[in-house]
Amino acid sequence: MTPAPAGLTWQRLRDLELPELTGAADGWRAVSVFADAARERVDGDMSGRLARTQDSESARAAVKRLKRLSENYHYIHTETGLVRGALDGLASELGPPQRRLREALDDAASLGYTVNDNGSVDYPPGGKNELTGEPVPGGSVVGSNGLLGAGNPGLYRDANGMLDPARGPGGPALKSPNPHCARAQDIADRIAHALREAHETDARYSSALNKLKAAPGLTVDSRTWADVGSDVGVVSQAAHAYLEKHLPLDKSPADRKEWWDHLGKEQREEYLSAFPGVIGNLDGIPALVRDEANRENLQLLIGQLDVKHDDASREMLGGLRRIQEKLEQDSVPPMYLLGIGDKGNGRAIIAYGNPDTADNVSAYVPGLGTKLDAEFADGTVNRALQTAMGAHRVDQFSRTSSIVWLGYDAPQVTPSDLASAKSVMFRNDAEAGAPAYNAFMEGISATHEGGDPHVTAIGHSYGSLTVGLAAQAKDGIPGADDIILVGSPGTGADNAQDLNVGRGHVFVGAAENDIVTKLPSHAEASGMASGAVGGGSAGFVLGAGMAGPPGALVGGGAGAVVGGIAGYTAQDAQTDPSDRWFGTDPASQDFGATRFKVNDGATVIEDHLKMTAHSNYFNPGKDQDSADSIAKIVVGKSEKIKLETPR
């Protein structure tokens, strides 16, 4: 058996009082709760009131000092919450090995075996030697060291201390005639296993707790929060087994909601303070709770990224800071942070209006080029706000929650991205995002307090493919009554009926000058490419013969353009005009959706090679008809939208 490290013996594991650990956790909880209450008092009753009632240089200086005090309390609340969570996790994980150890010791005592200080087990004589008729002598066994594979029985010594030649590192060659030997071996193995498991747990949590140390001084700055973020990661990693056991990570959103509802106040506080990144991004947890956890996690992510200097981290940091600024401002309807993370190109789920109490809920999936950066925070997020405000104008007597869901990696437009398998030309990202979107929507249904809101799934650009694939899953998008597709290159479906809400509940907006809605089919693109290659080659040869190298370059370029057009035209004549890159054109007659009126927008040429016609659908200042139609559909008044003839 591998020697146990100093400080951890089976005697100490047996006698460990786990309630003392949970009692210590409760003490840290009290400190955490006190710090949180103090922060709320400083923010509300002190600095908030002072900022509202006083306008002077001294008052502003006082508010600044109070903000610093609030940050200190925030830091204390977070760190003490981590200590509390780590201690609870340690107590929880030490419980099973302690129980197994005590059971093994009880079995040894009942059989009259002796458990030695090193964990070996002595057993008495038993059975009968068939040659001599004498009892088989007793002996001593030690538990498996776990290094030679499962089933290694350890070593056996007889009463004289000699190794039994019938046993060895590979296991028993012959079964001992003493029946006590096998029983003692089982007990020794169980003791060794319990001790090894407890040691691993103890070492893991000791390492995490040793890292929860505050730096000297009282300044809480970005580096401090970076350290806190690292601490959260360390505790979460140490408590991974604890989380898997206690949190319903692999359950449905409905099961998670039921789990949360049955937790006590103290348990909820523990999970929120120690594991904000887990709770905040768990579908099925109520919106108010997710918002609280994610605001905490947002600060930690900002701290972690602030000390990094690569371009991707700086971009994401800009997005996180802008989201934080928006959260600190009052908005109507109020803003909720339902998800945040730094996975991939970033994750962010933002709602205007509480989806758990809203009469209408819309969840918009953005597309090509979207990532968690400042442009997302200022532009994409604003589309959700525009929809919420439009819904209020249409129906002032119902409550609407408008959500932007960036819960997947949308394709980017850099050369390396376009050349990879994750390009916008492929379905990979949408196929990965669709199940995550459905899980989120299932969570919306599970946590809604009224039980049956009017739910609209919205997909823009490549996001419409994600929504389309989600809708084609078994039973469709959970809770969805209507689907809106704008600027869509296709949904992967041939017909609106395939989206599982009924043809009359699929709505499409496609600007005439939005080239994304007119992406060619695979066959047309192939014809275009073949024509370009052939035309370019012919033009190169002819140009070189007439004017040398300069003529070759000019002729090759012109030939490629002409050949590409010819190839596309030839293939287009043989292809269904409603075919698009990702299936049937959603705006076509063949698809069977309801097409609503939108502004045609500027052409790419008129727009200086930009694609604003692809981005105006939610903006009432640029496309009032489209924004109004989206709002009317969201509040369940689709009969009032302005219609457009399908293509």
Side-chain angles (χ1 to χ4, degrees), residues 75-96:
Y75 173 73
I76 294 170
H77 163 67
T78 304
E79 287 287 280
T80 53
L82 289 173
V83 176
R84 182 256 185 112
L87 289 174
D88 271 340
L90 175 60
S92 175
E93 289 195 50
L94 284 177

Side-chain angles (χ1 to χ4, degrees), residues 159-181:
N160 298 316
M162 300 299 292
L163 282 173
D164 187 333
R167 301 177 66 88
L174 296 173
K175 183 178 180 180
S176 171
N178 188 335
H180 292 294
C181 178

Side-chain angles (χ1 to χ4, degrees), residues 269-622:
E269 290 173 352
E270 174 189 342
Y271 293 131
L272 278 171
S273 59
F275 312 111
V278 177
I279 298 299
N281 292 287
L282 203 59
D283 297 320
I285 301 300
L288 289 175
V289 178
R290 292 182 70 163
D291 179 66
E292 179 182 351
N294 285 317
R295 288 175 188 248
E296 185 78 24
N297 197 35
L298 176 63
Q299 179 67 65
L300 302 177
L301 289 171
I302 289 174
Q304 290 175 297
L305 290 173
D306 196 40
V307 296
K308 298 181 179 181
H309 303 291
D310 59 284
D311 291 342
S313 295
R314 305 313 293 178
E315 277 192 335
M316 195 176 295
L317 179 63
L320 293 172
R321 282 181 167 158
R322 284 294 297 129
I323 289 173
Q324 187 176 56
E325 290 171 7
K326 287 176 176 287
L327 287 167
E328 291 173 351
Q329 301 167 358
D330 291 333
S331 67
V332 179
M335 184 177 175
Y336 297 85
L337 189 58
L338 303 182
I340 198 73
D342 59 355
K343 180 181 178 181
N345 293 323
R347 302 288 187 266
I349 307 172
I350 295 169
Y352 283 97
N354 185 346
D356 291 348
T357 59
D359 302 300
N360 314 296
V361 178
S362 67
Y364 145 58
V365 182
L368 177 63
T370 308
K371 57 184 174 180
L372 181 51
D373 56 9
E375 184 178 345
F376 169 81
D378 289 326
T380 307
V381 171
N382 196 47
R383 292 173 183 168
L385 177 58
Q386 289 168 333
T387 297
M389 295 173 65
H392 180 70
R393 285 193 299 270
V394 173
D395 186 352
Q396 299 181 11
F397 300 102
S398 67
R399 296 165 297 180
T400 296
S401 175
S402 175
I403 302 168
V404 55
W405 183 87
L406 183 60
Y408 80 125
D409 280 329
Q412 301 301 301
V413 291
T414 64
S416 60
D417 287 312
L418 293 175
S420 75
K422 291 174 65 63
S423 164
V424 68
M425 309 309 288
F426 296 93
R427 293 168 40 135
N428 304 50
D429 288 326
E431 289 174 346
Y437 180 71
N438 276 346
F440 173 75
M441 298 299 279
E442 187 178 354
I444 291 295
S445 296
T447 59
H448 195 272
E449 296 174 11
D452 190 25
H454 179 262
V455 176
T456 305
I458 305 176
H460 174 232
S461 185
Y462 187 89
S464 67
L465 175 62
T466 304
V467 168
L469 295 179
Q472 293 173 76
K474 183 180 179 181
D475 300 325
I477 297 172
D481 297 289
D482 294 309
I483 292 176
I484 299 175
L485 309 167
V486 288
S488 176
T491 63
D494 294 326
N495 193 282
Q497 192 66 39
D498 298 335
L499 303 187
N500 283 306
V501 291
R503 289 176 56 138
H505 293 274
V506 179
F507 302 89
V508 176
E512 187 60 30
N513 293 319
D514 181 356
I515 60 174
V516 174
T517 71
K518 298 182 178 181
L519 287 178
S521 67
H522 288 264
E524 291 168 338
S526 176
M528 185 186 301
S530 299
V533 171
S537 299
F540 183 90
V541 173
L542 291 174
M546 297 175 61
L553 293 177
V554 174
V561 173
V562 173
I565 294 173
Y568 170 80
T569 302
Q571 189 63 55
D572 183 52
Q574 306 174 46
T575 304
D576 189 329
S578 65
D579 280 355
R580 290 294 180 266
W581 189 262
F582 293 119
T584 303
D585 177 9
S588 70
Q589 183 73 43
D590 289 346
F591 191 74
T594 301
R595 186 182 181 188
F596 55 85
K597 185 175 178 58
V598 302
N599 190 306
D600 287 342
T603 66
V604 175
I605 301 300
E606 294 170 340
D607 212 18
H608 306 289
L609 301 183
K610 296 179 181 179
M611 297 194 303
T612 57
H614 185 59
S615 306
N616 293 338
Y617 296 102
F618 300 89
N619 190 338
K622 298 291 184 64

Side-chain angles (χ1 to χ4, degrees), residues 169-209:
L174 296 173
K175 183 178 180 180
S176 171
N178 188 335
H180 292 294
C181 178
R183 297 171 189 163
Q185 185 65 62
D186 173 67
I187 292 172
D189 286 346
R190 287 154 60 194
I191 291 172
H193 180 268
L195 193 57
R196 283 197 310 274
E197 184 180 351
H199 168 62
E200 186 277 331
T201 297
D202 178 64
R204 181 161 30 91
Y205 278 96
S206 294
S207 176
L209 287 165

